[in-house]
Amino acid sequence: MNVLVINCGSSSLKYQLINSESEAVLAKGLCERIGIDGVLTHQPAGKDKIKTETAMPNHTVAVELVIKSLTDPVNGVIASLSEIGAVGHRVVHGGESFAESVVIDDSVMKAIEDCNDLAPLHNPANLIGIRACQELMPNVPMVAVFDTAFHQTMPKKAYFYGLPHEYYEKYKVRRYGFHGTSHSYVSKRVAEILGKDYASLKTIVCHLGNGASISAVMNGKCVDTSMGLTPLEGLIMGTRSGDLDPAILNFIANKENLTLAQVTDVLNKKSGVLGLSGVSSDFRDLEAAAKEGNQWAIDALDTYYYRVAKYIGSYAAAMNGVDVIAFTAGVGENNPPGRETIVSYLGYLGADVVPEKNNCRGEEKVISSDQAKVTVMVVPTNEELAIARETVRLV
Ligand code: AMP
């Protein structure tokens, strides 16, 4: 079966067509500037990208263009729409309603809508994407795969904030966690690669991309993760602050004459390694600036890696031990010096990194020594494949 995987943002839509038997990506692409003007980038497997500027007044038109590209006589990969067996949608927030992926029906749409408050930038866009696909493919089954679902197994002690409990009761203010599809995929892959039983492993997954989060996965279940009510909590990220003293919001609002919404915007978009370094949110730029002696870039990297190491230590404590530490996503997969720096804090756990093994990018690999007590690995994430697998499982 061919599964169309859709990841819809407010003005963008990413897609991949995956054959579920071979798990090959037949084509992938991106619609950008939806509702503004419109740019479509389509890439059939093994061929160059084709970039077209074309009007995309709304998401339905964008999905129409995606289908047109997939069925195009020259650059298409299927003969007709009937070759799409199912659609898997990434949905950011499932609140407490979804601990698993689900086949989408009217009640699921309503429940996703009920979570709009918790992810005002993402969930409405996800719903628009689903509706656009339903309109054009009314008889094709659709599945929602939630970023939050994998973390629903966290115990209360991991998801409660130290706040008046009526905020939880009235508004569901608690920690949810994100990147769940990635944490689930990588933790399972770790067990497969090592030939170990998923149900008896203690794994810490470090998803270090532009957004970054860590999870503690014990006996096949997530027991803690670093993101919270929103994806702002936890690690220092490309542009997001991660954990900080909540009193800083009011302090900066007063000093800079900003509203709380404006300060929150700074914490989301102008902070993290970008804000601290004043250079870039991209680790390639930061490494280059640090090499040239830029002290703010050096300090931003130090602070970033130190925070990751502290989280690993706290999750080793949460699980009373750790068997595997796995690095994934853009920075985790492609940045050997970063991995080495993080693991240099973890000698007390019995973790190490062998520089020759660590000199790798984007491949599945054990990078610790044979005698290390904790296995350190690189495991590239594949959220689209995980969504396609979930979709096939449910339809
Ligand atoms: P992601 O959000 O998973 O796509 O990760 C994006 C981030 O990965 C970028 O902002 C870069 O900081 C980082 N990245 C990608 N490639 C490299 C590389 N070769 N070396 C260092 N960092 C990289």
Side-chain angles (χ1 to χ4, degrees):
M1 183 204 293
N2 294 325
V3 180
L4 180 59
V5 175
I6 298 280
N7 182 353
C8 203
S10 54
S11 67
S12 70
L13 186 155
K14 280 191 225 157
Y15 64 93
Q16 281 197 7
L17 187 69
I18 297 177
N19 179 276
S20 65
E21 283 85 34
S22 64
E23 298 201 327
V25 178
L26 305 179
K28 62 182 174 182
L30 169 67
C31 301
E32 290 168 288
R33 300 178 63 83
I34 303 171
I36 306 165
D37 35 32
V39 184
L40 171 71
T41 309
H42 176 72
Q43 187 174 26
K47 292 193 187 171
D48 289 338
K49 285 181 185 166
I50 306 135
K51 202 166 178 173
T52 326
E53 285 181 22
T54 173
M56 279 182 216
N58 55 52
H59 287 75
T60 309
V61 175
V63 176
E64 239 165 17
L65 289 164
V66 169
I67 293 169
K68 219 168 142 194
S69 302
L70 292 171
T71 55
D72 182 78
V74 181
N75 290 308
V77 290
I78 50 174
S80 77
L81 194 59
S82 64
E83 290 180 41
I84 298 176
V87 182
H89 292 271
R90 176 189 182 212
V91 179
V92 166
H93 219 307
E96 290 187 328
S97 304
F98 300 103
E100 287 218 22
S101 312
V102 281
V103 176
I104 299 172
D105 60 16
D106 288 348
S107 68
V108 169
M109 292 296 277
K110 167 80 178 59
I112 296 173
E113 206 171 332
D114 288 344
C115 297
N116 278 359
D117 246 11
L118 295 170
L121 296 178
H122 295 99
N123 272 32
N126 299 152
L127 284 165
I128 290 170
I130 296 170
R131 289 203 186 95
C133 288
Q134 284 173 330
E135 205 173 302
L136 296 164
M137 295 175 265
N139 300 317
V140 178
M142 315 247 161
V143 168
V145 180
F146 299 91
D147 259 30
T148 48
F150 182 62
H151 305 303
Q152 277 295 301
T153 49
M154 283 195 290
K156 284 181 187 170
K157 63 186 175 189
Y159 72 68
F160 275 158
Y161 288 114
L163 286 170
H165 63 82
E166 58 259 35
Y167 296 155
Y168 171 68
E169 289 166 324
K170 284 200 280 191
Y171 314 120
K172 294 282 172 216
V173 172
R174 50 158 282 182
R175 308 183 60 257
Y176 290 94
F178 299 85
H179 295 138
T181 312
S182 176
H183 288 287
S184 165
Y185 173 86
V186 171
S187 57
K188 285 181 187 133
R189 197 68 204 117
V190 160
E192 281 167 13
I193 296 166
L194 297 178
K196 296 258 169 78
D197 181 15
Y198 187 49
S200 54
L201 264 189
K202 293 174 180 176
T203 303
I204 295 174
V205 178
C206 307
H207 178 111
L208 310 179
N210 200 21
S213 66
I214 302 208
S215 67
V217 184
M218 183 158 76
N219 307 336
K221 289 198 167 69
C222 176
V223 293
D224 209 339
T225 192
S226 57
M227 283 177 167
L229 175 75
T230 75
L232 184 54
E233 189 180 341
L235 300 175
I236 294 170
M237 307 180 211
T239 65
R240 289 174 237 166
S241 64
D243 297 337
L244 40 73
D245 180 344
I248 289 173
L249 269 99
N250 202 38
F251 185 87
I252 297 293
N254 286 335
K255 294 281 181 200
E256 295 272 315
N257 200 19
L258 298 172
T259 63
L260 287 181
Q262 287 171 318
V263 181
T264 307
D265 201 56
V266 171
L267 299 186
N268 270 303
K269 298 184 184 151
K270 296 181 187 157
S271 300
V273 287
L274 167 70
L276 195 47
S277 69
V279 173
S280 170
S281 63
D282 193 299
F283 278 67
R284 288 160 287 200
D285 302 335
L286 288 169
E287 300 276 354
K291 262 198 197 118
E292 283 167 15
N294 182 319
Q295 193 58 44
W296 282 112
I298 294 168
D299 289 339
L301 288 168
D302 276 354
T303 314
Y304 177 93
Y305 297 133
Y306 177 67
R307 175 84 54 95
V308 176
K310 281 209 298 187
Y311 260 97
I312 294 174
S314 70
Y315 287 170
M319 296 193 289
N320 192 16
V322 53
D323 300 312
V324 183
I325 297 167
F327 289 99
T328 195
V331 182
E333 291 168 27
N334 296 302
N335 191 342
R339 294 191 295 252
E340 191 167 341
T341 306
I342 293 165
V343 178
S344 72
Y345 287 101
L346 307 173
Y348 72 99
L349 288 174
D352 65 14
V353 154
V354 178
E356 298 75 44
K357 292 185 182 178
N358 186 36
N359 191 16
C360 64
R361 289 185 165 80
E363 58 178 298
E364 290 181 342
K365 200 166 172 191
V366 172
I367 57 171
S368 51
S369 68
D370 295 342
Q371 55 284 0
K373 273 204 265 173
V374 178
T375 306
V376 184
M377 302 175 72
V378 179
V379 179
T381 193
N382 193 337
E383 288 167 285
E384 290 78 13
L385 178 59
I387 292 173
R389 283 180 181 166
E390 279 290 276
T391 305
V392 172
R393 184 175 71 79
L394 287 168
V395 303

